[in-house]
Amino acid sequence: MLRMKTLTFSLLAGLACTGAQAGADTGALAVARCSPALLAQAEQGGARVVRYRKNIDDLTPAELDAFKHAVSEMKRKSQENVYDRRGFLWQAWVHNCPSVDVFNDRQASLPGEGLKWLLSDPSRNSCDVAYFLDKPPTQDNAHLEFPGECEHQKNTFLQWHRAQLYFYEQALQAADPNGERGPSTRNVALPYWNFTRKPSGVRYPKAFEDVDSPLYDSTRIKGSLDSSMATASPNLLGYQIYYMDWNNFGGDEYGSGGGGNLETRIHNHMHAFYMGGNMGDNITAGLDPLFYAFHNFLDYSFEKWLDEHGDSGIRGSGRNTFLRSEQDAGLARPVGWNAGDGDPQRTDSGSYTANMGQAGIYFDAIKQGYGFQPTYGGEFVRKKDLQALIDQRQQAGFAFGDNQKSLFAALLSDEASDGTVARPDVVLNGSYTVARAPLAKDKRANLHLDRAHAMEDYSFQADVYLHPANVAVRLGDKQFRDRYLITSTSHWALSGTHAHKAYAIDVDITSIVDSLVPRKRGQTWRITTAITTNDKGRGLIRQDDFSKPSVAIVDRRSPPQPSYEGVK
């Protein structure tokens, strides 16, 4: 079901700045009319001028120059004052610096190579200003402020990051709106990176691989594509968008599944295994300009899901949560914003918004002043093509393992998953005896795995296979992988207040085990789980951190969780 959207325009903001650009006013009047402060006044709580976000590779040279200039200017603002909420560093802090020490005069510079030095090593804690500022903060000269805290592993993951990108885009536009130091940034729309397609550069878009560009980050994993591209398959993303309800796509109310499928099967892997560097940790991720283009494509995926399903299925905290972040009050607040009943405004922290508003106000992107091009999802596979792939593997009477490719393996697609399978750090074995009858309608079968005993959180990917006991395990063999792969899911280690020492994976495989009943009843099958961590986790992962994988029969939640084999 396609949402109906209404394009609305702020007459004051739109006409004033359009007139100035066209030469209707010159000098001080033009600058005043097009100042960020006046734009904010015109747009606070009102209609928006709609700007369209494009693929980074589709920007015109002028658009790319304006975008790069905006990022460069935001970095300059942070060098002049690390506490400038429109600066690059503060906006990076928004992702996961719950608190920072701020000098009482709200002023501290980071001149010369200071910011570049801070951005060049993911082990440096940018949230601790005592680490990189000349003057140490004390109880007498500083106070606490609270840039932000991201939402992960719950049903506000996509809404929080959408709000973060909204304010980041506002900061880009406010970087140099009058073009005093370079191209005007007034109309910059944040570009996205479609990471389900072959990159225009070696591993990332060309614009982010130019070492002389403000978009470059020296800490990212480099080198050409390999099998780690598997969980960025366009088919897997399309399947999630078209066939999953909100609990499965965006996350359930209580975060019981470690987050929705977009997070656990795509986002986490890309952060921890594909990009790494600053992007490998949630505290440092916002220090890489690529972070915003990467999450912008997740936001486009969210927008496409909303176009398909509407927002009525997003309830409870997914609508009502006030999203944590303190932003510059001069940036236009989103339509429908209110502060809620949180802490009173502090008198020592300048002019700021206490939070980014409730999650539900972000469901209509056009209302908030942005859309995506291609407008109706041209970056995504077509549903009819996915349905043909599903029908090919789920003909009447099929049994899991009969096809050369499981549906999940087929969703990964040959282009994404071909190549040598990484040697796992841990291999776990369990067993499952095929039932005598299909499960009752009020029950479901969960593939269950615990990581319950880790002393320190670390990222890992779990590839789970279900296969007959007499079939030898050949993890490096693509035919084995294709035929028996149930799922590939990833956990991204979260630092600070988000750290998870215990973690559970639950995947609904009801249709898989039911398909085995007619011809395989009573047989013993094996569950083989190959677990791989990244460089940061290699000294932490242990075999006994994990339980044996098992199939648990549990009461079916409402709405039910569909599995990858469950679409008929």
PDB file of all heavy atoms in Angstrom, residues 352-369:
ATOM      1  N   TYR A 352      19.597  25.113  23.202  1.00  0.00           N
ATOM      2  CA  TYR A 352      19.572  23.750  22.676  1.00  0.00           C
ATOM      3  C   TYR A 352      18.170  23.157  22.778  1.00  0.00           C
ATOM      4  O   TYR A 352      17.324  23.612  23.571  1.00  0.00           O
ATOM      5  CB  TYR A 352      20.557  22.868  23.442  1.00  0.00           C
ATOM      6  CG  TYR A 352      20.159  22.566  24.871  1.00  0.00           C
ATOM      7  CD1 TYR A 352      19.510  21.376  25.202  1.00  0.00           C
ATOM      8  CD2 TYR A 352      20.416  23.476  25.893  1.00  0.00           C
ATOM      9  CE1 TYR A 352      19.122  21.107  26.507  1.00  0.00           C
ATOM     10  CE2 TYR A 352      20.051  23.202  27.199  1.00  0.00           C
ATOM     11  CZ  TYR A 352      19.415  22.028  27.503  1.00  0.00           C
ATOM     12  OH  TYR A 352      19.025  21.760  28.799  1.00  0.00           O
ATOM     13  N   THR A 353      17.910  22.137  21.956  1.00  0.00           N
ATOM     14  CA  THR A 353      16.688  21.356  22.067  1.00  0.00           C
ATOM     15  C   THR A 353      16.986  20.129  22.926  1.00  0.00           C
ATOM     16  O   THR A 353      18.015  19.478  22.765  1.00  0.00           O
ATOM     17  CB  THR A 353      16.188  20.891  20.686  1.00  0.00           C
ATOM     18  OG1 THR A 353      17.208  20.129  20.058  1.00  0.00           O
ATOM     19  CG2 THR A 353      15.838  22.071  19.811  1.00  0.00           C
ATOM     20  N   ALA A 354      16.103  19.826  23.852  1.00  0.00           N
ATOM     21  CA  ALA A 354      16.359  18.780  24.846  1.00  0.00           C
ATOM     22  C   ALA A 354      16.355  17.384  24.249  1.00  0.00           C
ATOM     23  O   ALA A 354      16.947  16.458  24.802  1.00  0.00           O
ATOM     24  CB  ALA A 354      15.318  18.860  25.964  1.00  0.00           C
ATOM     25  N   ASN A 355      15.676  17.190  23.136  1.00  0.00           N
ATOM     26  CA  ASN A 355      15.654  15.904  22.447  1.00  0.00           C
ATOM     27  C   ASN A 355      15.237  16.150  21.009  1.00  0.00           C
ATOM     28  O   ASN A 355      14.960  17.293  20.616  1.00  0.00           O
ATOM     29  CB  ASN A 355      14.717  14.905  23.150  1.00  0.00           C
ATOM     30  CG  ASN A 355      13.288  15.416  23.241  1.00  0.00           C
ATOM     31  OD1 ASN A 355      12.612  15.594  22.230  1.00  0.00           O
ATOM     32  ND2 ASN A 355      12.812  15.690  24.456  1.00  0.00           N
ATOM     33  N   MET A 356      15.187  15.093  20.219  1.00  0.00           N
ATOM     34  CA  MET A 356      14.848  15.240  18.797  1.00  0.00           C
ATOM     35  C   MET A 356      13.368  15.021  18.519  1.00  0.00           C
ATOM     36  O   MET A 356      12.958  14.940  17.365  1.00  0.00           O
ATOM     37  CB  MET A 356      15.694  14.274  17.963  1.00  0.00           C
ATOM     38  CG  MET A 356      17.186  14.557  18.045  1.00  0.00           C
ATOM     39  SD  MET A 356      18.230  13.559  16.934  1.00  0.00           S
ATOM     40  CE  MET A 356      18.086  11.932  17.673  1.00  0.00           C
ATOM     41  N   GLY A 357      12.548  14.936  19.583  1.00  0.00           N
ATOM     42  CA  GLY A 357      11.118  14.731  19.409  1.00  0.00           C
ATOM     43  C   GLY A 357      10.744  13.264  19.467  1.00  0.00           C
ATOM     44  O   GLY A 357      11.584  12.381  19.585  1.00  0.00           O
ATOM     45  N   GLN A 358       9.449  13.010  19.390  1.00  0.00           N
ATOM     46  CA  GLN A 358       8.967  11.637  19.459  1.00  0.00           C
ATOM     47  C   GLN A 358       9.179  10.892  18.145  1.00  0.00           C
ATOM     48  O   GLN A 358       9.163  11.472  17.062  1.00  0.00           O
ATOM     49  CB  GLN A 358       7.476  11.624  19.814  1.00  0.00           C
ATOM     50  CG  GLN A 358       7.208  11.905  21.289  1.00  0.00           C
ATOM     51  CD  GLN A 358       5.735  11.868  21.608  1.00  0.00           C
ATOM     52  OE1 GLN A 358       4.974  12.730  21.189  1.00  0.00           O
ATOM     53  NE2 GLN A 358       5.320  10.866  22.364  1.00  0.00           N
ATOM     54  N   ALA A 359       9.339   9.592  18.261  1.00  0.00           N
ATOM     55  CA  ALA A 359       9.631   8.759  17.093  1.00  0.00           C
ATOM     56  C   ALA A 359       8.570   8.910  16.011  1.00  0.00           C
ATOM     57  O   ALA A 359       8.881   8.931  14.821  1.00  0.00           O
ATOM     58  CB  ALA A 359       9.759   7.297  17.523  1.00  0.00           C
ATOM     59  N   GLY A 360       7.306   9.005  16.405  1.00  0.00           N
ATOM     60  CA  GLY A 360       6.207   8.993  15.442  1.00  0.00           C
ATOM     61  C   GLY A 360       6.170  10.178  14.506  1.00  0.00           C
ATOM     62  O   GLY A 360       5.565  10.093  13.423  1.00  0.00           O
ATOM     63  N   ILE A 361       6.801  11.288  14.862  1.00  0.00           N
ATOM     64  CA  ILE A 361       6.746  12.453  13.970  1.00  0.00           C
ATOM     65  C   ILE A 361       7.630  12.274  12.737  1.00  0.00           C
ATOM     66  O   ILE A 361       7.539  13.065  11.791  1.00  0.00           O
ATOM     67  CB  ILE A 361       7.146  13.754  14.710  1.00  0.00           C
ATOM     68  CG1 ILE A 361       8.632  13.724  15.101  1.00  0.00           C
ATOM     69  CG2 ILE A 361       6.246  13.988  15.925  1.00  0.00           C
ATOM     70  CD1 ILE A 361       9.111  15.022  15.730  1.00  0.00           C
ATOM     71  N   TYR A 362       8.462  11.244  12.734  1.00  0.00           N
ATOM     72  CA  TYR A 362       9.388  11.037  11.620  1.00  0.00           C
ATOM     73  C   TYR A 362       8.882  10.039  10.585  1.00  0.00           C
ATOM     74  O   TYR A 362       9.605   9.723   9.642  1.00  0.00           O
ATOM     75  CB  TYR A 362      10.747  10.572  12.155  1.00  0.00           C
ATOM     76  CG  TYR A 362      11.503  11.661  12.872  1.00  0.00           C
ATOM     77  CD1 TYR A 362      11.443  11.783  14.259  1.00  0.00           C
ATOM     78  CD2 TYR A 362      12.258  12.585  12.167  1.00  0.00           C
ATOM     79  CE1 TYR A 362      12.134  12.782  14.926  1.00  0.00           C
ATOM     80  CE2 TYR A 362      12.955  13.602  12.818  1.00  0.00           C
ATOM     81  CZ  TYR A 362      12.887  13.688  14.200  1.00  0.00           C
ATOM     82  OH  TYR A 362      13.566  14.691  14.848  1.00  0.00           O
ATOM     83  N   PHE A 363       7.663   9.563  10.719  1.00  0.00           N
ATOM     84  CA  PHE A 363       7.176   8.572   9.760  1.00  0.00           C
ATOM     85  C   PHE A 363       6.922   9.178   8.385  1.00  0.00           C
ATOM     86  O   PHE A 363       6.959   8.473   7.384  1.00  0.00           O
ATOM     87  CB  PHE A 363       5.897   7.903  10.271  1.00  0.00           C
ATOM     88  CG  PHE A 363       6.106   7.050  11.503  1.00  0.00           C
ATOM     89  CD1 PHE A 363       5.071   6.815  12.384  1.00  0.00           C
ATOM     90  CD2 PHE A 363       7.337   6.496  11.779  1.00  0.00           C
ATOM     91  CE1 PHE A 363       5.263   6.033  13.510  1.00  0.00           C
ATOM     92  CE2 PHE A 363       7.545   5.714  12.896  1.00  0.00           C
ATOM     93  CZ  PHE A 363       6.500   5.486  13.771  1.00  0.00           C
ATOM     94  N   ASP A 364       6.635  10.460   8.313  1.00  0.00           N
ATOM     95  CA  ASP A 364       6.392  11.138   7.036  1.00  0.00           C
ATOM     96  C   ASP A 364       7.600  12.006   6.715  1.00  0.00           C
ATOM     97  O   ASP A 364       7.734  13.129   7.211  1.00  0.00           O
ATOM     98  CB  ASP A 364       5.124  11.988   7.124  1.00  0.00           C
ATOM     99  CG  ASP A 364       4.688  12.517   5.768  1.00  0.00           C
ATOM    100  OD1 ASP A 364       5.540  12.625   4.865  1.00  0.00           O
ATOM    101  OD2 ASP A 364       3.490  12.825   5.611  1.00  0.00           O
ATOM    102  N   ALA A 365       8.502  11.490   5.882  1.00  0.00           N
ATOM    103  CA  ALA A 365       9.732  12.219   5.565  1.00  0.00           C
ATOM    104  C   ALA A 365       9.442  13.502   4.788  1.00  0.00           C
ATOM    105  O   ALA A 365      10.064  14.539   5.038  1.00  0.00           O
ATOM    106  CB  ALA A 365      10.670  11.314   4.767  1.00  0.00           C
ATOM    107  N   ILE A 366       8.495  13.450   3.861  1.00  0.00           N
ATOM    108  CA  ILE A 366       8.170  14.629   3.054  1.00  0.00           C
ATOM    109  C   ILE A 366       7.715  15.770   3.957  1.00  0.00           C
ATOM    110  O   ILE A 366       8.102  16.932   3.770  1.00  0.00           O
ATOM    111  CB  ILE A 366       7.078  14.291   2.017  1.00  0.00           C
ATOM    112  CG1 ILE A 366       7.629  13.338   0.950  1.00  0.00           C
ATOM    113  CG2 ILE A 366       6.543  15.560   1.364  1.00  0.00           C
ATOM    114  CD1 ILE A 366       8.697  13.933   0.058  1.00  0.00           C
ATOM    115  N   LYS A 367       6.936  15.450   4.956  1.00  0.00           N
ATOM    116  CA  LYS A 367       6.473  16.466   5.903  1.00  0.00           C
ATOM    117  C   LYS A 367       7.649  17.121   6.615  1.00  0.00           C
ATOM    118  O   LYS A 367       7.589  18.299   6.992  1.00  0.00           O
ATOM    119  CB  LYS A 367       5.526  15.821   6.917  1.00  0.00           C
ATOM    120  CG  LYS A 367       4.783  16.791   7.816  1.00  0.00           C
ATOM    121  CD  LYS A 367       3.801  16.038   8.695  1.00  0.00           C
ATOM    122  CE  LYS A 367       2.999  16.988   9.575  1.00  0.00           C
ATOM    123  NZ  LYS A 367       2.037  16.231  10.440  1.00  0.00           N
ATOM    124  N   GLN A 368       8.729  16.353   6.782  1.00  0.00           N
ATOM    125  CA  GLN A 368       9.907  16.888   7.464  1.00  0.00           C
ATOM    126  C   GLN A 368      10.912  17.520   6.507  1.00  0.00           C
ATOM    127  O   GLN A 368      11.979  17.942   6.934  1.00  0.00           O
ATOM    128  CB  GLN A 368      10.585  15.777   8.280  1.00  0.00           C
ATOM    129  CG  GLN A 368       9.711  15.134   9.336  1.00  0.00           C
ATOM    130  CD  GLN A 368       9.169  16.127  10.370  1.00  0.00           C
ATOM    131  OE1 GLN A 368       9.556  17.296  10.386  1.00  0.00           O
ATOM    132  NE2 GLN A 368       8.259  15.670  11.201  1.00  0.00           N
ATOM    133  N   GLY A 369      10.589  17.549   5.220  1.00  0.00           N
ATOM    134  CA  GLY A 369      11.395  18.342   4.308  1.00  0.00           C
ATOM    135  C   GLY A 369      12.371  17.583   3.438  1.00  0.00           C
ATOM    136  O   GLY A 369      13.265  18.185   2.849  1.00  0.00           O
TER     137      GLY A 369
END
